[in-house]
Amino acid sequence: MNRTLLTSALALAAVTGAAQAEQVFNRIASFPVVKNMAEGEDTARETSPEIIDVTEDGMVLVYTDSPLGVLGRVDITDPAAPQPMGNIALGGEPTSVAVIGTTAFTGINTSESYVAPSGRLVAIDVNSGEELASCDLGGQPDSVAKAPDGSFIAVAIENERDEDLNDGIIPQMPAGFVVKIGLEGGTLDCDSLQRIDVTGLAEVAGDDPEPEFVDINALGEIVVTLQENNHFVVIGADGTVASHFSAGAVDLDGIDATDERGALRFTENQQGRKREPDAVKWIDDQHFATANEGDYEGGSRGWTIFSKSGEVVYDSGTSFEHALVQIGHYPDKRSDAKGVEPESVTFGEFNGTRMIFVGSERGSIVGVYDATDPANPVLTQLLPSGVGPEGYVTIPSRNLLVSANESDLIEDGGARAHVMLYAYAEGEAAYPQLTSEGMAELTGWGAISGMVAEGDSTVWAVSDSFYGYQPRIFKIDVSSKPARIVEAIDITRAGYPAQKLDLEGITLDGEGGFWLASEGRTDRVIPHALYHVNAKGEIEEEVGLPAELMAVEKRFGFEGITLVDGTLWMAVQREWADDPKGQVKLVAYTPESGEWGAVRYPLDAPTTGWVGLSEIVAQGDHVYILERDNLLGEAATTKKITRVALSQMQPAPLGGDLPLVSKEEVRDLLPDLKATGGYVLDKVEGLAIFSDGTAWVSTDNDGVDDHSGETMFFTVGQLGTGY
């Protein structure tokens, strides 16, 4: 859908308010918040959108940015093209924000130390940036919430613990509390401030409550999560405690609870796992939903709906986490702690449907639930987010959902922090594009690299070294939408999972088995090698590289493998020691004779970073090659499919002069990578081409490690001619 049509559809939906058939959320834009820095500022500094809200007219987003100490603003008059409005300096660390009209009520942490906490609640004009009022809170604020009728503000005064003291175990004084401040004439009435005591309630460190999150219902009741205390408090409209109860615990079965590097095994359990909820949101005047992120002793990997009297109306158990497993968003490095770590929850009613939105901080996914029946919410969608979604705001009047994604990976060369926008409109869900849903056994996957097509609708794929203890071949049915993994074949040696593999290429051997290319890395004792495996995944032959290649070896080796008339061809990702700058090898190996050879391929010149190869596929009279830079987002310039005529693929002996082939660009993939409204992903890794020329492309999600977890798996139609 183009931008004009999208904007028109949004406007029509907003005007009519009529429910449309098959309405879904799809991401329409991503806004890197570094754009809100002023000209001349150091954009290499960390920036992080955390808690987000919107002005009453739904046109300006306002978010807290703790590292910069500012409120950021985004103009979403055209939601498909958000524009920077700049930052407002606060003179302290913002912790949360709630907007009424065009006034942003912001908690600011001014604490000198953990034992001397302090903070302010300020009212700021969103348009001018002027501070309108300020109230001393008497402690360190965390969450801020507004009453639905705009009559008061509630603040969770956490007085957070020092996580380096006594291993972070509470109690650590001073105790936290809750503040309620009335509004007069649309601004703060500091004289009305109520300090509400919540000590002596929780079974866990009751003398040291640490209020984490607050929300207010239409009756003026405040619900408070005491995350570290594993407890809830409901405060009545009169400012006194109306009820309180434990958040309880959950028995988790069918989880991966071991942090070994690179194996997804959902066969373990955790019994009596404390929920330790973070975010909380009223869904009506009697019920609220919580995201059970966990802390030192808990985290149930899911979310819960409670009645305000303490009854568990619904608990997701492991179902939310399992849904993320199936779409490749399971963060294996968090297995022993909190798994997908649900941290955020919000609520909105869209065209008459009551919806709950649950954010996975580590899985970087927004789960959309139809909560028409609070006892039986139904997961309807999983939306891709930026890295580390922290806060959300719903804008039903404009059919919009917005996420604030706090992780800024600038130090690791990864994605910058983003705000992402989703439109609720008629159409098909654009995500996920690949899933293992429907398999008899819960099957996790990620880091898809090499691919090869077979028959009319099968793509075989491998995952790379991230899953070093569980190398696998995946059979994918591309006739389904989304494409579906229907089989996972473990690669074995003598009956045991093969190790020391970094699989980056796969091709059919013509006899029911496969040839696999492994990219070596000597400093990690991973060999550069080819592996011949049978249909069961058993390694039958291992072929190391010849001395001529090992003498000039570098870290970035084979990426892709294809078979042409009995000869295997492998693309080398980057220059090795004997390659001229800007040229890489396409290496040939003939299994029957054991002969090696190569040609050289000319790379595009990088604008910055580097350019290399990620895949090679023979089809028709050409080999097709994925060429990409190592950049993402707006910095990315080279993501393309090229081809080289087979007539040029005449390998010369290694160690001597190698012929230089010429290439032809077939498709620029940048428009495809921008099509789902996200930032451009860096690792375009997989290419498979069917006999009619129809090509499929995939991206590598790095095993959800310092990555959004997003995998794009899409067709670009028929490539070239002559099939």
Side-chain angles (χ1 to χ4, degrees):
M1 182 181 291
N2 66 39
R3 182 172 297 165
T4 301
L5 289 176
L6 174 61
T7 305
S8 298
L10 291 172
L12 179 62
V15 171
T16 65
Q20 299 178 7
E22 300 299 327
Q23 285 192 286
V24 296
F25 285 96
N26 278 317
R27 185 176 53 198
I28 57 171
S30 298
F31 177 81
V33 295
V34 68
K35 285 187 172 183
N36 262 333
M37 289 191 187
E39 185 176 354
E41 284 194 73
D42 180 9
T43 57
R45 292 177 298 159
E46 180 185 2
T47 181
S48 177
E50 296 172 285
I51 304 303
I52 192 164
D53 206 351
V54 67
T55 53
E56 186 175 4
D57 62 4
M59 296 298 176
V60 178
L61 298 172
V62 182
Y63 62 85
T64 60
D65 188 326
S66 173
L68 291 183
V70 301
L71 278 183
R73 299 167 296 173
V74 186
D75 179 352
I76 58 168
T77 303
D78 179 354
Q83 299 298 315
M85 290 182 63
N87 294 320
I88 301 171
L90 298 173
E93 176 196 10
T95 62
S96 184
V97 64
V99 181
I100 299 176
T102 58
T103 303
F105 298 91
T106 308
I108 301 176
N109 178 16
T110 58
S111 303
E112 295 182 1
S113 68
Y114 292 105
V115 296
S118 64
R120 299 187 298 145
L121 180 67
V122 299
I124 295 176
D125 184 276
V126 170
N127 296 316
S128 69
E130 177 187 0
E131 184 175 302
L132 305 175
S134 174
C135 300
D136 185 343
L137 293 171
Q140 171 257 314
D142 195 336
S143 170
V144 174
K146 60 191 175 188
D149 64 1
S151 61
F152 70 93
I153 298 291
V155 186
I157 305 299
E158 184 177 15
N159 290 344
E160 63 185 349
R161 69 193 189 280
D162 181 350
E163 296 187 14
D164 295 325
L165 177 64
N166 192 30
D167 293 326
I169 303 301
I170 56 174
Q172 289 185 24
M173 299 304 177
F177 50 94
V178 176
V179 161
K180 180 178 178 180
I181 303 178
L183 300 179
E184 186 70 34
T187 193
L188 294 168
D189 177 10
C190 296
D191 292 338
S192 71
L193 186 149
Q194 291 179 263
R195 175 171 169 153
I196 303 168
D197 183 13
V198 289
T199 60
L201 303 178
E203 295 177 6
V204 179
D207 58 340
D208 181 25
E210 295 199 5
E212 185 80 20
F213 216 97
V214 292
D215 195 44
I216 307 168
N217 67 13
L219 301 176
E221 297 170 327
I222 305 167
V223 61
V224 187
T225 59
L226 310 181
Q227 184 174 22
E228 289 81 4
N229 311 89
N230 198 41
H231 209 77
F232 294 106
V233 179
V234 177
I235 298 168
D238 61 357
T240 64
V241 173
S243 65
H244 68 91
F245 44 90
S246 170
V250 179
D251 293 334
L252 300 175
D253 295 308
I255 64 171
D256 185 339
T258 304
D259 249 2
E260 82 290 311
R261 177 164 173 80
L264 300 175
R265 301 185 178 101
F266 302 98
T267 58
E268 298 173 282
N269 64 78
Q270 290 174 339
Q271 302 300 304
R273 190 73 168 176
K274 294 177 182 176
R275 288 188 173 97
E276 293 183 342
D278 187 343
V280 62
K281 191 72 176 179
W282 289 100
I283 63 173
D284 57 37
D285 289 340
Q286 305 301 319
H287 304 92
F288 55 82
T290 68
N292 304 324
E293 178 199 20
D295 201 83
Y296 272 78
E297 298 180 6
S300 68
R301 304 176 182 231
W303 66 282
T304 309
I305 296 176
F306 289 89
S307 72
K308 64 183 180 184
S309 61
E311 177 190 4
V312 174
V313 175
Y314 168 82
D315 190 275
S316 68
T318 58
S319 64
F320 179 63
E321 177 163 286
H322 286 183
L324 270 65
V325 168
Q326 292 172 333
I327 65 167
H329 279 256
Y330 182 77
D332 186 59
K333 284 192 174 181
R334 300 291 294 175
S335 286
D336 71 336
K338 301 176 251 183
V340 299
E341 200 166 327
E343 183 175 17
S344 312
V345 64
T346 195
F347 173 84
E349 185 170 324
F350 286 81
N351 292 347
T353 301
R354 299 163 58 79
M355 297 182 181
I356 295 172
F357 304 87
V358 181
S360 163
E361 180 182 13
R362 300 290 174 171
S364 298
I365 278 288
V366 184
V368 183
Y369 286 83
D370 181 334
T372 301
D373 179 0
N376 295 286
V378 177
L379 178 62
T380 60
Q381 282 190 264
L382 294 166
L383 305 175
S385 191
V387 185
E390 174 80 8
Y392 298 89
V393 61
T394 58
I395 315 175
S397 63
R398 301 190 68 201
N399 280 329
L400 296 174
L401 167 71
V402 182
S403 71
N405 305 284
E406 66 176 348
S407 297
D408 190 336
L409 304 179
I410 186 171
E411 289 188 3
D412 300 317
R416 301 303 303 264
H418 278 72
V419 167
M420 292 188 173
L421 293 93
Y422 310 81
Y424 189 57
E426 188 174 358
E428 294 183 343
Y431 201 81
Q433 297 180 345
L434 179 62
T435 180
S436 64
E437 183 183 2
M439 292 186 68
E441 180 179 338
L442 179 65
T443 301
W445 57 273
I448 296 296
S449 51
M451 303 199 306
V452 65
E454 182 180 34
D456 296 326
S457 59
T458 294
V459 167
W460 298 94
V462 289
S463 53
D464 67 20
S465 62
F466 188 88
Y467 301 102
Y469 293 108
Q470 195 181 50
R472 280 181 161 176
I473 299 171
F474 297 100
K475 183 179 182 181
I476 301 170
D477 178 6
V478 300
S479 68
S480 298
K481 191 171 184 179
R484 294 188 182 273
I485 295 173
V486 295
E487 185 179 2
I489 302 171
D490 289 318
I491 300 169
T492 60
R493 284 191 185 99
Y496 294 93
Q499 297 183 20
K500 299 300 181 184
L501 304 181
D502 182 4
L503 300 179
E504 298 286 354
I506 180 172
T507 195
L508 306 173
D509 69 357
E511 300 173 352
F514 308 92
W515 279 98
L516 310 177
S518 179
E519 181 180 28
R521 185 161 178 180
T522 301
D523 62 338
R524 295 182 180 174
V525 201
I526 300 174
H528 296 277
L530 305 178
Y531 296 91
H532 193 194
V533 304
N534 62 23
K536 296 180 179 180
E538 300 165 335
I539 295 176
E540 296 184 335
E541 182 182 2
E542 182 172 346
V543 180
L545 270 59
E548 295 92 335
L549 281 177
M550 292 307 297
V552 294
E553 169 224 2
K554 289 238 179 138
R555 169 185 164 189
F556 298 94
F558 290 165
E559 292 268 342
I561 184 172
T562 194
L563 184 63
V564 182
D565 296 331
T567 294
L568 295 167
W569 283 93
M570 289 70 64
V572 180
Q573 186 174 60
R574 292 175 62 186
E575 300 96 332
W576 280 20
D578 63 333
D579 291 320
K581 185 177 181 180
Q583 296 181 19
V584 293
K585 294 184 186 71
L586 305 178
V587 176
Y589 170 69
T590 304
E592 185 174 345
S593 65
E595 292 180 295
W596 291 84
V599 298
R600 283 198 173 98
Y601 173 98
L603 296 169
D604 281 9
T607 53
T608 185
W610 54 260
V611 171
L613 306 185
S614 285
E615 181 72 286
I616 182 170
V617 179
Q619 184 59 43
D621 297 328
H622 297 82
V623 290
Y624 290 78
I625 292 169
L626 278 181
E627 185 175 347
R628 68 170 180 89
D629 56 26
N630 66 328
L631 306 175
L632 48 70
E634 295 183 341
T637 59
T638 304
K639 315 286 184 189
K640 62 176 61 176
I641 301 173
T642 68
R643 70 180 185 180
V644 175
L646 283 178
S647 59
Q648 295 189 58
M649 303 288 283
Q650 303 298 321
L654 299 171
D657 292 334
L658 300 177
L660 180 66
V661 300
S662 58
K663 68 182 182 183
E664 174 190 0
E665 181 173 326
V666 177
R667 188 179 184 95
D668 180 3
L669 293 173
L670 285 174
D672 301 293
L673 296 170
K674 296 175 181 177
T676 59
Y679 54 82
V680 175
L681 301 170
D682 60 333
K683 290 189 175 181
V684 184
E685 292 275 328
L687 176 65
I689 307 176
F690 287 92
S691 58
D692 67 352
T694 300
W696 286 79
V697 176
S698 68
T699 61
D700 175 354
N701 74 356
D702 281 336
V704 203
D705 184 29
D706 285 340
H707 193 285
S708 68
E710 186 169 349
T711 294
M712 295 189 70
F713 187 92
F714 58 94
T715 180
V716 294
Q718 291 184 312
L719 294 179
T721 58
Y723 293 95

